[in-house]
Amino acid sequence: MRRFTSPLTRLHLRTLLRRSATNQSHHLPCSQFSLSKTHLFTSSLPHDPFPFSLYCTSFKPFSSQSEDPVKDQEEETIAQSVSSELVKELDAESLSIPERLHLSFSHLTLTPSLILTTLNLSPDAGRTVLGFFKWVKSEESFKLDDEIVSFFVDYFGRRKDFKAANDVLTDSKGVTGSKTFESMIDRLVRAGRPTQAVAFFENMEKDYGLVRDLNSLKLLVSRLCEHGFASYAEKMVKNLANEFFPDEYVCDMLIRGWCVDGKLDEAQRLAGEMYRGGFEIGTAAYNAILDCVCKLCRKKDPFRLQSEAENVLVEMEEKGVPRDVETFNVLITNLCKIRKTEDAMNLFYRMGEWGCSPDETTYLTLIKSLYQAARIGEGDEMIDRMKSAGFGDALNKKAYYELLKILCGIERTDHAMTVFAKMKEDGRKPGLKTYDLLMGKLVAHNRVDKANALYKEAESNGLPVEPKAYMVHPRYAKKKPTSVKKEKKRETLPEKMARKRRKLKKIRLSFVKKPRKMQRRAY
């Protein structure tokens, strides 16, 4: 279990001292209660050596409304302490969660941010969060509302524990509203349970007291269609047509849902039914059909992408449906995915002919495609154009990381360092993944000195970097000098004949007898 340091103890002791000072008329019972609370709260923490009087004048109540970073840090500390109580293992003789929280944290001023932070810090608490909800609901100084209930529903929805979420909704009947409904529907659909989502919508008034109207129907249809459950959405809309007559938004979302599911025939069938029924198909529906056509062409026959997309655009002109920036984003994105960057650039320059201006999605898609095509200079120019157009805020930390990843992937490490410098100039603080990417690529290129400099920079920025063993690519590794063996040179024919003549001459001279020296006679 997580342990907390002495500042948490000091905050609690300050609270106890203030409570004891305001209850001087009942000194003995108050001191006994304070000691019991201190024992429950600090039994596993070290003793605070500082005197209590140091904190009497500096105590301030906890509140999330202030923008003071010190108070925000104190609130996070309190949230951590509550989270530790939720994840603590319970014994058979221990008190229940609401009773323990009431004994240890009855002095707290509950706020929505404090509750949300506690839930985010307690992903492993499980069903004990139900006890936390009961304690929050029982606090007289805090009023439970729709937003707080949505926090708990969202927490149990992330864990796919919809029985616990149902218990929260049942206990909050009369308090829940649109935010709780949105959280429940979103979590059911994302968990792949469209049948339960439709059943929840049908019984929401009777079981939970939620208002069922056209807006809630639109929300459910949009969530189902975004995740590819268009068949459930269409069936529900047709069954409820007498109660809630669908409008153009619902029809466009149904077409979009079939396109997200990749069923172009069903989308065209539904579009035909709507057109014959007197509905006008909007630009959003045609954009979804265009995107579905492009994706199917990319999957089956990329060479037919432009011709098939042109057919959809011609149909839009015949029906009088105008193009918007999303139409061009669909075309540019799909052209870049099949590496037709030049065609995407031509389409980008022609957007003004239809009265459309590029947005941040257009610029980011083209920058990535230009870098991927190793057109570095044009990519830098597109970044400058994006900033001058007023979309510089879209170049956040995540966007810069994706650009750096592309540059490192095409082995343009020097330019990646240049873009990294631009990132810091724009005030985007690099994260741990960015440093890890650049350090790994620099070491792979055998530039260890620059990798070490980045490591020290990340460490100075307070990032929890750890030394890693990166591999140097064999292409950039320094080769050890090896002794080259002298190969015997092949003789030419004249050289070979001359060598044989010399050898034969030596053999011939070895058989010649040397003349004896004449001896002198003595007379």
Side-chain angles (χ1 to χ4, degrees):
M1 190 184 70
R2 263 182 104 176
R3 304 290 183 189
F4 298 95
T5 54
S6 58
L8 182 62
T9 308
R10 299 173 193 170
L11 290 174
H12 190 262
L13 291 176
R14 281 188 288 171
T15 307
L16 296 179
L17 183 61
R18 190 184 181 195
R19 290 170 63 91
S20 62
T22 56
N23 297 319
Q24 292 180 359
S25 60
H26 303 283
H27 179 71
L28 183 59
C30 180
S31 61
Q32 292 175 353
F33 181 69
S34 299
L35 287 174
S36 62
K37 286 182 64 175
T38 307
H39 175 70
L40 288 172
F41 191 69
T42 62
S43 59
S44 60
L45 297 175
H47 177 66
D48 189 2
F50 298 96
F52 298 159
S53 59
L54 294 177
Y55 304 99
C56 293
T57 59
S58 61
F59 174 77
K60 296 181 181 180
F62 301 107
S63 176
S64 62
Q65 304 298 328
S66 176
E67 296 181 358
D68 190 0
V70 177
K71 289 187 177 181
D72 294 340
Q73 186 176 3
E74 290 181 356
E75 185 176 272
E76 185 176 357
T77 305
I78 293 298
Q80 289 178 350
S81 64
V82 178
S83 175
S84 67
E85 289 290 331
L86 296 178
V87 299
K88 187 184 297 183
E89 295 183 1
L90 298 178
D91 299 331
E93 300 178 356
S94 61
L95 299 175
S96 63
I97 293 294
E99 294 175 348
R100 288 167 51 195
L101 293 176
H102 182 73
L103 288 176
S104 302
F105 304 103
S106 60
H107 61 282
L108 295 181
T109 302
L110 291 176
T111 59
S113 61
L114 177 62
I115 295 173
L116 181 60
T117 306
T118 304
L119 293 175
N120 291 334
L121 293 174
S122 311
D124 300 327
R127 289 286 182 93
T128 55
V129 175
L130 284 174
F132 178 49
F133 172 74
K134 292 179 182 178
W135 175 66
V136 171
K137 184 181 178 182
S138 64
E139 286 295 308
E140 298 179 355
S141 60
F142 182 74
K143 184 179 180 182
L144 191 68
D145 57 3
D146 180 31
E147 184 182 13
I148 303 300
V149 177
S150 67
F151 292 160
F152 286 93
V153 170
D154 194 61
Y155 174 84
F156 289 114
R158 284 198 299 266
R159 297 175 53 86
K160 298 182 180 180
D161 189 357
F162 294 104
K163 187 178 183 305
N166 181 69
D167 295 341
V168 172
L169 290 173
T170 304
D171 293 342
S172 307
K173 193 173 182 179
V175 181
T176 55
S178 59
K179 292 183 178 180
T180 305
F181 172 75
E182 183 178 358
S183 298
M184 190 66 177
I185 291 297
D186 184 62
R187 288 299 169 182
L188 283 171
V189 175
R190 291 173 66 177
R193 303 185 182 186
T195 306
Q196 294 185 19
V198 175
F200 180 82
F201 177 80
E202 293 175 352
N203 303 321
M204 57 189 290
E205 285 186 342
K206 180 179 63 176
D207 295 342
Y208 309 110
L210 295 169
V211 179
R212 193 175 72 161
D213 53 5
L214 183 59
N215 292 328
S216 58
L217 176 66
K218 289 181 180 180
L219 177 64
L220 177 56
V221 170
S222 63
R223 291 294 187 273
L224 289 172
C225 293
E226 285 174 2
H227 293 83
F229 300 112
S231 60
Y232 294 89
E234 183 179 354
K235 183 179 179 181
M236 182 186 66
V237 170
K238 288 182 178 180
N239 293 335
L240 298 175
N242 295 329
E243 184 178 357
F244 304 107
F245 191 74
D247 57 2
E248 294 181 0
Y249 174 81
V250 175
C251 297
D252 289 348
M253 287 304 301
L254 290 174
I255 295 177
R256 190 170 186 176
W258 284 116
C259 294
V260 169
D261 204 15
K263 297 180 179 179
L264 182 61
D265 297 337
E266 294 290 337
Q268 292 176 343
R269 185 264 310 166
L270 183 60
E273 292 180 2
M274 291 165 51
Y275 187 75
R276 291 188 297 270
F279 289 96
E280 293 184 0
I281 303 175
T283 308
Y286 271 107
N287 290 340
I289 293 175
L290 180 63
D291 190 30
C292 184
V293 168
C294 293
K295 287 180 179 178
L296 291 175
C297 289
R298 279 168 39 202
K299 185 178 180 180
K300 297 180 180 179
D301 189 1
F303 294 102
R304 294 180 57 186
L305 187 146
Q306 290 176 295
S307 61
E308 295 293 337
E310 188 67 27
N311 294 336
V312 179
L313 296 175
V314 169
E315 184 179 351
M316 290 177 65
E317 292 180 0
E318 291 177 354
K319 299 293 179 60
V321 180
R323 304 182 188 181
D324 59 0
V325 63
E326 184 63 26
T327 308
F328 287 95
N329 287 342
V330 168
L331 292 172
I332 289 174
T333 301
N334 285 279
L335 286 172
C336 291
K337 285 185 179 294
I338 61 174
R339 295 294 184 266
K340 290 195 174 183
T341 309
E342 191 62 33
D343 295 337
M345 291 294 295
N346 295 334
L347 195 61
F348 168 76
Y349 291 123
R350 294 185 58 191
M351 289 179 65
E353 298 179 9
W354 285 270
C356 298
S357 300
D359 59 0
E360 62 271 10
T361 305
T362 315
Y363 284 111
L364 286 174
T365 304
L366 287 173
I367 292 169
K368 294 175 185 178
S369 183
L370 289 170
Y371 278 161
Q372 190 70 46
R375 299 164 68 171
I376 306 299
E378 296 179 57
D380 293 342
E381 292 177 3
M382 192 62 67
I383 290 178
D384 297 336
R385 179 176 293 187
M386 179 179 178
K387 292 180 179 179
S388 62
F391 298 108
D393 294 338
L395 281 169
N396 50 18
K397 182 170 66 173
K398 181 180 179 181
Y400 268 114
Y401 174 76
E402 292 176 354
L403 297 180
L404 293 173
K405 193 174 181 180
I406 292 173
L407 291 171
C408 292
I410 63 173
E411 302 297 333
R412 298 299 178 94
T413 310
D414 291 333
H415 197 77
M417 295 300 297
T418 304
V419 174
F420 180 68
K422 287 183 181 180
M423 176 182 179
K424 293 187 288 186
E425 290 176 2
D426 292 343
R428 309 293 188 265
K429 190 176 180 181
L432 185 61
K433 292 177 65 177
T434 306
Y435 280 106
D436 188 55
L437 172 68
L438 292 175
M439 286 190 295
K441 184 56 66 174
L442 287 172
V443 173
H445 284 222
N446 203 12
R447 301 167 70 176
V448 184
D449 51 346
K450 289 192 175 182
N452 289 333
L454 280 181
Y455 180 86
K456 293 179 181 178
E457 179 182 335
E459 198 173 24
S460 63
N461 291 337
L463 295 176
V465 289
E466 296 180 358
K468 293 184 180 180
Y470 298 100
M471 297 296 295
V472 181
H473 197 276
R475 177 182 174 185
Y476 302 97
K478 293 182 180 179
K479 297 181 180 180
K480 296 181 180 180
T482 56
S483 57
V484 181
K485 295 182 179 180
K486 294 183 179 180
E487 296 181 359
K488 190 175 181 181
K489 188 178 178 180
R490 187 174 180 180
E491 294 179 330
T492 61
L493 183 60
E495 292 175 349
K496 187 175 181 181
M497 297 302 294
R499 181 174 58 79
K500 286 186 175 182
R501 284 195 297 270
R502 288 193 300 270
K503 189 173 182 180
L504 289 173
K505 185 178 179 181
K506 288 181 181 180
I507 293 173
R508 189 171 57 251
L509 291 176
S510 63
F511 289 101
V512 176
K513 293 183 178 180
K514 295 181 181 180
R516 293 182 179 180
K517 293 182 180 180
M518 295 181 64
Q519 298 180 356
R520 292 184 181 181
R521 294 180 180 180
Y523 292 98

